[in-house]
Amino acid sequence: MKETLRYLAGIAGPSGYGSNSTAEQVTEDSSCCVSSRLTAIITGATSGIGVETARVLAKRGVRVVIPARDLRRAAELKEEIQKESPHAEIILLEIDLSSLTSVKRFCTEFLSLELPLNILINNAGIFSQNLEFSEDKIEMTFATNYLGHFLITEMLLEKMVETADKTGIQGRIINVTSVIHSWVKRDEFSFNQMLNPKNYNGTLSYAQSKLANILHVKEMSRHLKARNARVTINAVHPGIVKTGIIRAHKGFITDSLYFIASKLLKSTSQGASTTCYVALSPQLEGVTGKYFEDCNESNCSSLANDESEAQKLLQRTRALINKQLGQPAA
């Protein structure tokens, strides 16, 4: 109840920000971090909070790389951003996050540009009411929300470590997740079932993918600490935001309930605030393996904190991707 009241009132937490803070507000003191040009990749930047994340980071002087399936929409967004920030550097590259081959192609193309990489924001997410499969024959929500981002992180991690070593600026990886990860029970988190569910439930599949995003953060943070890499990785819950993905959740929200709840939902600017805060705030230097909401560190579920589950998920994911792409096991 206390946390609910804090959210509704927009009371600031230890960071100085709260649920009502906007992306622009939380990055106002980040100019020191962007004194030398940073480069950020933002998936899902052509819709929802991704648009606002790209706009605000570009406004703060960050070079923004936008991987997109719809390059025409991406070009429109680039034009919109550059109208507001004429000196913004926006790079557009093609990707289909649900396809491992496409993700690999995108990473190869980005690396060929020989740019630094300081920030990776794994923001894209889909919700599907119906069971669909990717070209790799993997359930579409899991393929897009988790596997695609896992592969991007794997393929670009060394570039981020290299950039941090060369520049002395800490790299930051951010997985955008959701509070509904906590709805997943332990016996519902089966890797094979998530790849090919027998009894499909759209809301459960979405929640499972978001739990996987957090477990990815937990395990990768341990690996990065072990090698003393100057790269952090954290998870972010943006809040319940007025975006298309919420309207698509017909499984647990009706039109009338959506209308009532919309009065309590965040705007896209408020929804993008935590991502932008974790990406740029000087307060978070060295902070890794954490879960944030409303621009403050918060608690995730006990399952999301299970180290053995995180280890198993990492091993099985790598084995699957190596098999799908015909690569030798790592």
Side-chain angles (χ1 to χ4, degrees), residues 1 20 45 47 69 71 86 94 118 135 141 246 269 303 314 328:
M1 178 62 76
N20 289 346
S47 64
R69 188 168 56 178
L71 287 177
E94 190 172 13
N118 309 92
E135 67 176 40
T141 304
I246 290 299
S269 185
L303 185 53
L314 183 79

Side-chain angles (χ1 to χ4, degrees), residues 28 66 75 85 102 115 124 257 259 289 293-294 301 309:
E28 283 174 355
I66 299 178
S85 305
S102 177
L115 293 172
L257 182 58
F259 175 77
E293 61 179 313
D294 299 332
S301 71
E309 283 290 347

Side-chain angles (χ1 to χ4, degrees), residues 41-75:
I41 292 175
I42 308 171
T43 69
T46 58
S47 64
I49 62 172
V51 172
E52 181 70 357
T53 303
R55 183 189 74 82
V56 171
L57 262 60
K59 186 173 184 176
R60 299 303 180 214
V62 178
R63 177 196 288 121
V64 175
V65 179
I66 299 178
R69 188 168 56 178
D70 185 347
L71 287 177
R72 185 160 65 175
R73 172 63 192 123

Side-chain angles (χ1 to χ4, degrees), residues 7 47-49 238-248 258-272:
Y7 170 81
S47 64
I49 62 172
I240 311 301
V241 188
K242 298 173 188 174
T243 64
I245 199 165
I246 290 299
R247 286 186 289 274
Y258 177 81
F259 175 77
I260 296 168
S262 68
K263 306 306 177 185
L264 304 175
L265 300 182
K266 288 186 176 186
S267 67
T268 52
S269 185
Q270 292 167 336

Side-chain angles (χ1 to χ4, degrees), residues 278-291:
V278 177
L280 293 181
S281 175
Q283 295 183 44
L284 298 185
E285 182 75 21
V287 175
T288 190
K290 304 300 182 182
Y291 173 80

Side-chain angles (χ1 to χ4, degrees), residues 110-128:
F110 172 77
L111 291 172
S112 73
L113 298 177
E114 298 186 347
L115 293 172
L117 181 58
N118 309 92
I119 302 167
L120 171 60
I121 301 177
N122 293 319
N123 166 78
I126 65 164
F127 170 85
S128 179

Side-chain angles (χ1 to χ4, degrees), residues 55-102:
R55 183 189 74 82
V56 171
L57 262 60
K59 186 173 184 176
R60 299 303 180 214
V62 178
R63 177 196 288 121
V64 175
V65 179
I66 299 178
R69 188 168 56 178
D70 185 347
L71 287 177
R72 185 160 65 175
R73 172 63 192 123
E76 291 170 356
L77 174 62
K78 177 178 179 178
E79 186 177 342
E80 290 166 14
I81 291 174
Q82 290 180 329
K83 278 182 182 176
E84 180 184 8
S85 305
H87 299 295
E89 186 177 352
I90 312 290
I91 297 171
L92 310 179
L93 296 173
E94 190 172 13
I95 195 173
D96 176 355
L97 264 172
S98 71
S99 163
L100 295 174
T101 300
S102 177

